[in-house]
Amino acid sequence: MEEFEETPRQHYTEAQKNSIFNNEFMPHINSMYNFAYRLTLDGDDAKDLLQDTYLKAYRFIESFQQGTNAKAWLFRILKNSFINDYRKKSKEPSKVDYQDVETYYNSEDVDRQITPDLRVEALKDMIGDEISNALNSLDVDFKTVIILCDLEGFKYEEMAKILDIPIGTVRSRLHRARNLLKEKLSTYAKQMGYKNA
Amino acid sequence: MSTPDPKNMKQDCSNKRECLEMLQLILDGEATAEQKEHFLKEHLEECMPCYKNYHLEVAIRQLLKTKCCHEAPQQLVDDIKTKVIQNLSRS
């Protein structure tokens, strides 16, 4: 697992390991659960993924360097576990090859097609699950950047490390993801009776 | 940011795409101080489409934060702690 091979192995006593686990890893459990749930879209899979991730984090705790960003380290493990173990069996509706999606959304045509004219007033009326459903409906790679940036507040540089992609790709993927999210919200707004939403 | 007078604002933006990217850079906390100053002071208050976009971006972020964060079930948190302690006693 490459994510555990990049930093020199640390040496911790059992007490130190426990302290790191409880004080640096456990405080992120709600954010991690939310990420797992959004990726798998299934309560049981999210539980398994979260549990696997935390057990892995403990097993490889000596690859974690104290003083570095524990949350980013954990998110990267969870993301890699999801890709390796869960993506195939998850209820993710889109089975589109990722490369195709990236190529499509990086074409200039998309920006001309997607000009979501969404209004703030329409958003204010979305008091139900609209935004959550819109987010869930996005392809995993687009959903992920929105979660990392807008829900968890990671910086672009941290996102690049979590996702193993260049910062430029983080930026462009975020831009596309937000356009797609707005497009979805705009559809909901129209259904709610907003014209030109 | 003061509330600009719509009558004095441009109704169309020739750089909509680039402006939206800059806006997102600013809201993500990734823009430099100069970029921020320049965009917010020189452009946003004079350009209606960008001004609207700014409020839309802010509203979407708020909506995401209030509607899309779920806490882990307490049982699961306890299970994970227990499993790690079991692992510990085996090692």
Side-chain angles (χ1 to χ4, degrees):
Chain A
M1 272 171 274
E2 54 172 309
E3 68 258 45
F4 301 119
E5 290 161 6
E6 285 160 9
T7 44
R9 217 177 130 87
Q10 312 291 303
H11 296 284
Y12 299 126
T13 63
E14 290 304 306
Q16 281 173 319
K17 283 185 194 175
N18 260 340
S19 156
I20 293 170
F21 191 85
N22 288 321
N23 301 322
E24 300 204 41
F25 295 175
M26 286 309 280
H28 302 296
I29 199 148
N30 287 328
S31 294
M32 292 277 284
Y33 174 76
N34 199 43
F35 188 33
Y37 185 79
R38 299 273 162 201
L39 290 177
T40 58
L41 300 177
D42 179 275
D44 289 334
D45 282 348
K47 275 184 191 173
D48 290 344
L49 178 56
L50 188 69
Q51 198 156 288
D52 287 354
T53 304
Y54 267 89
L55 290 176
K56 223 178 258 179
Y58 189 80
R59 192 151 23 104
F60 293 97
I61 204 163
E62 293 191 322
S63 304
F64 171 72
Q65 205 175 344
Q66 259 191 307
T68 60
N69 190 335
K71 186 176 173 183
W73 191 75
L74 292 168
F75 266 72
R76 186 162 179 231
I77 301 174
L78 194 145
K79 184 244 10 177
N80 287 344
S81 297
F82 172 72
I83 289 173
N84 296 332
D85 307 332
Y86 290 84
R87 198 166 192 173
K88 286 175 218 100
K89 64 166 184 158
S90 78
K91 290 171 185 164
E92 178 63 31
S94 107
K95 297 285 177 213
V96 189
D97 179 65
Y98 176 66
Q99 210 52 48
D100 290 346
V101 176
E102 189 90 292
T103 309
Y104 173 72
Y105 285 107
N106 276 331
S107 67
E108 286 297 316
D109 292 349
V110 172
D111 266 351
R112 250 173 279 132
Q113 284 170 26
I114 302 172
T115 47
D117 191 14
L118 186 64
R119 283 179 298 155
V120 175
E121 300 83 69
L123 284 182
K124 294 212 166 113
D125 281 347
M126 293 186 186
I127 50 173
D129 295 329
E130 295 91 350
I131 184 97
S132 184
N133 292 340
L135 180 63
N136 289 348
S137 75
L138 298 184
D139 178 86
V140 156
D141 298 286
F142 293 117
K143 174 160 58 180
T144 298
V145 287
I146 290 188
I147 294 169
L148 296 182
C149 190
D150 295 342
L151 294 184
E152 301 303 336
F154 282 112
K155 308 305 288 180
Y156 292 173
E157 203 183 335
E158 294 166 337
M159 291 170 67
K161 284 186 191 151
I162 293 169
L163 303 173
D164 298 301
I165 53 175
I167 289 191
T169 309
V170 169
R171 272 181 67 167
S172 59
R173 202 178 285 177
L174 249 181
H175 184 74
R176 315 282 166 192
R178 285 170 173 152
N179 273 345
L180 291 167
L181 186 72
K182 278 184 230 169
E183 198 186 42
K184 283 275 170 200
L185 292 174
S186 176
T187 310
Y188 291 141
K190 284 197 186 98
Q191 286 166 1
M192 289 159 70
Y194 281 94
K195 284 175 190 160
N196 302 319
Chain B
M1 194 168 50
S2 57
T3 310
D5 182 356
K7 289 197 290 290
N8 301 330
M9 294 172 90
K10 283 189 294 168
Q11 298 302 310
D12 204 16
C13 181
S14 52
N15 269 332
K16 224 172 166 183
R17 190 202 147 116
E18 287 76 13
C19 283
L20 184 59
E21 282 179 352
M22 178 54 67
L23 196 53
Q24 293 182 347
L25 211 60
I26 291 170
L27 290 171
D28 292 343
E30 302 276 351
T32 64
E34 293 85 43
Q35 284 175 320
K36 214 171 146 175
E37 171 94 5
H38 178 76
F39 187 79
L40 295 180
K41 288 220 168 122
E42 307 287 317
H43 183 73
L44 198 63
E45 295 191 2
E46 291 165 9
C47 181
M48 190 50 110
C50 290
Y51 184 76
K52 280 185 178 167
N53 263 339
Y54 172 84
H55 287 281
L56 187 64
E57 289 286 322
V58 171
I60 291 176
R61 280 165 168 79
Q62 278 169 353
L63 202 57
L64 280 167
K65 281 205 167 164
T66 50
K67 293 278 178 189
C68 297
C69 293
H70 296 288
E71 293 198 349
Q74 190 55 44
Q75 185 62 50
L76 180 60
V77 177
D78 295 340
D79 284 353
I80 288 174
K81 281 185 186 163
T82 313
K83 288 219 164 117
V84 166
I85 292 166
Q86 281 170 355
N87 260 25
L88 201 74
S89 56
R90 263 187 262 133
S91 61

